[in-house]
Amino acid sequence: MTNHLTTLLFSGCLLFALNASSAAKPNIVFVLADDLGWAELGCYGNRFNETPNLDRMAKEGTLFTQAYAAAPVCSPYRAALLTGQHPARLGILDYLRPNSANRLSTDLVTLPEVLKKNGYATGMIGKWHLTGYRFQGAEDETRPTEHGFDWNFGSEVKGVGNGANTWPYVFRDQPIRWLDITNNRLGADENLTDRLNLEAVEFIDRNKDKPFFLYLAHYAPHTILNGRPDLVAKYRKKHAPVPSGRANCYLCEDAGLGKGDSGHHWAADHNPHLAAMLEGIDDGIGKIRAKLADLKLLENTIFIFTSDNGGETNVTSNAPLRGGKSELYEGGVRVPLIVQWPQTIRAGGVSDEPTVNTDFFPTLLDAAGVAQNTQSSSSRRESAQTSNGAPNDQSGLTSAATSFPSGYPGEQPVDGVSMLANWKQATQVIKRDALYWHYPLDSPHFLGGFSGGAILKDDWKLIERFDTGKTELYHLADDPSERSDLSGKNPAKVSVLKAKLAGWRRNVSARTPSAPLLTEPRQLYFAEHFSGKASERFWYNGDWSAAKGNLQRIATGSENTRIHLRDAEYVEALIRFDFQLQKSKDIRLVTGSHGHYNAVIHIRPDHFYVQTAKDESGPYFSYRHGECAYDFDPDRWYTMTVEFIGNQLVAHLDHEHLAYATHPILDKERTYFAFQVDDRPAAFDNIQIFTVRKHRGQSANLEHIKSVAGKHPVKKSLEEEYSIQKVNAHEWLYQRHPEYRALIKKADDLDELKKQRFPAAFSSHKELKKAALELRKKLNQENPAYKELLHATHRANRALDQFLIEQNPAVADLPDSQRKAELERLRRKHRDSAGYQKLVATSEAAQRKLESAYPQAFVSDEDINQSRKAENQKLRDNPAYKKLQNERAAAYRAQQDYLHANGTRLAELRRLLEK
């Protein structure tokens, strides 16, 4: 693509060629600004901000006119930079909230890890933003040193963006400073940008004798803008700032300036704070360049400057580009980029070649000439899955997820392409299929961004809105400002690009959660993304393992198995989770309240539905509510959104495929959360529970729900239809017909009378099992002989586990989320070995001894069935027994007659079945 600004900006630049060959590995200095727009630098045409060092860097290197961020916000860019993977593949799609459980997975190989293994010193200074923070409620957090950085300084320990940019870096009355900086070195008024610049220069000096990779991630000029006072005064004098219109500015209030924004922190144009903060960054560029030159390292240092997304439109304009941060228009994703490498890159180059920040990973490894045989740093990298659990299926991709020939480790895919040839010759065209963006949101970003995706191919850019379904089409070569939507004039181009974008989403397993319908999320109550140390709140057993970036139900052969959340306590909520059916035929989200289940979402290969459960506290009976046919691909990831508010529940994959329920049992505090899977494998990921409030558009959304409720009917056999209708009629009639309730009560009273008079014949399995359990508890507390026999069984079982661990000692060091499943795998592998069988015999003998000594405490289903059968046989000639049985049978017939007479289609379905 040819940019029409190229000639205007760079017609006077000098070009000269330098020798590109060198035996020494190049140093790498990567400087990242935060929220710096494309048009803010002097070398990009800005005449207010002063950036002499960056302008000089552009003259000595190459400036890129079409450099893009992989996302229009912070965290996804940073994750993509360090991995070379698109945010959609990584599962980091928006900026991470302070208490987020999501983070950059330690299962991924990062750029600093590869460079470190190839002899580089690695250092990271400044903003990380690839984790939640323990201080703000995250169960765990991941730091830069866990991703290959030898040294890290000045990174945040809590949420950023509050403008506390001066020592001691404490915002208002908060209890801690928001950075890990423990001392000041530049005086009482030390400025954060200046301090980070100082640390960068000293890192270079310390590591001058070996190749180094320095990642300097400034916090500037992210809002709340708050520049160094002397520089702010300078720019105020240079040009009067535009009034901001802000009614409140904390920084102005704290400075004693009263309400409003008299300090111009939020000025929408000629913002003196933005200019001051940018000058601080520029000053650091000059200091770094001077240090490199002084150490005679400049010639062989790759020096990069760029931004993580476009500028915020409430403090600047990205003109001539449209939009800004949080938007998929050019102003949100096109960023400044300057690359200098005197030994290899021609001075004064201007590249119009589109590039995205995933390209840095393969380009820098290419430039560094990392060894062909680089291995992954741990066996954890050996999975052929992405961090969100998606298979590495690159079928159909010609540029994304390509393998990297110059030492890329393992089988982890790379979505970027090497731009090294273009760096060396700015006119060199790089073979690339297209650029893609994926930015799904539940609601519009506070800066105006909307949920959507985009594709850029051959100057054509298509933006697809997920919220409205609308598409926009622009030809950037003619219209870089995206003023003329050409979608109506080019339906064929729209169709081709939409199909290509959809295919790309499938290939990278991009998730597009369905936006809420009844609720608006508020606080994150619980989340688990399986991107590092697994949460200790899930209760693992041998059927489940948190590994390879997701939660896996293992193919153990056991029947229905559950994994549940410890200490769950939530009421109205939005629950969201990703799932992959794999070979399972039934997976369930199970919720409950204080010992009773209330709602279950069933997902099966060809449909999903909502069921409320039996709950004697109501009393309520099981009821099958809304259902939706859907042909699930067993190997594809899907996202289910489930909303609870009042007596309503809606589960949806998107706004056209949903299942709805309304029932009093739903209006309860929930104290149970579990996933249940049948006896086959399945997988889960990105589990989140949010507290909620009522959706502002709930009334209209309810009308939509009702309009699509029967749009995707589920095919059923007559038997299935009859069974469902019978169960539903039972609950419906019970709640509404007093006559039917009386019939049910009569049958229940007779059941209770049978248990009172003949307990051995009519006590339920559940009651007898509960009594046996209570007896075991009592014996354990009061009977030393029982306790000793019980401990003998425990010792025998521990010996079995120890035998398995001896076969693979590494299992002992696995986290609980993986160890139990691995023990089960070893158990299956060694179950026929002589040593294991001997220990099994000992364990079984210990259990038999315990059960034979206390048979009343160990009652099996078979025991109960035989005992009840024998007792019923003895009583069959007992007149009182026979009378009760006959009365109970008559009560049941009366109940069934009423049910079929009043239940929808029941009588008709029964007649059809009897034919």
Side-chain angles (χ1 to χ4, degrees), residues 788-798 843 846-847 850:
E788 176 52 37
L789 289 174
L790 180 64
H791 287 179
T793 67
H794 292 168
R795 287 192 295 272
N797 289 330
R798 284 196 298 271
S843 174
Q847 186 66 32
L850 175 65

Side-chain angles (χ1 to χ4, degrees), residues 109 375-382:
V109 181
Q375 298 297 317
S376 56
S377 62
S378 167
S379 60
R380 64 186 176 168
R381 323 289 194 191
E382 293 174 3

Side-chain angles (χ1 to χ4, degrees), residues 233-249:
K234 166 187 169 180
Y235 286 100
R236 261 201 208 102
K237 291 178 182 177
K238 184 173 182 178
H239 193 292
V242 172
S244 72
R246 281 259 172 169
N248 295 295
C249 174

Side-chain angles (χ1 to χ4, degrees), residues 60 63 126 171 179 205 213 242 264 380 487 497 549 552 668 681 726 750 769 772 774 849 857 874:
E60 295 179 349
L63 181 146
F171 182 61
L179 297 154
D205 200 42
F213 169 54
V242 172
H264 306 110
R380 64 186 176 168
S487 59
L497 291 179
Q552 183 71 47
K668 290 190 172 189
K726 187 175 179 182
L750 288 168
K769 287 287 191 71
E774 293 301 320
K849 187 173 182 180
K874 285 194 300 183

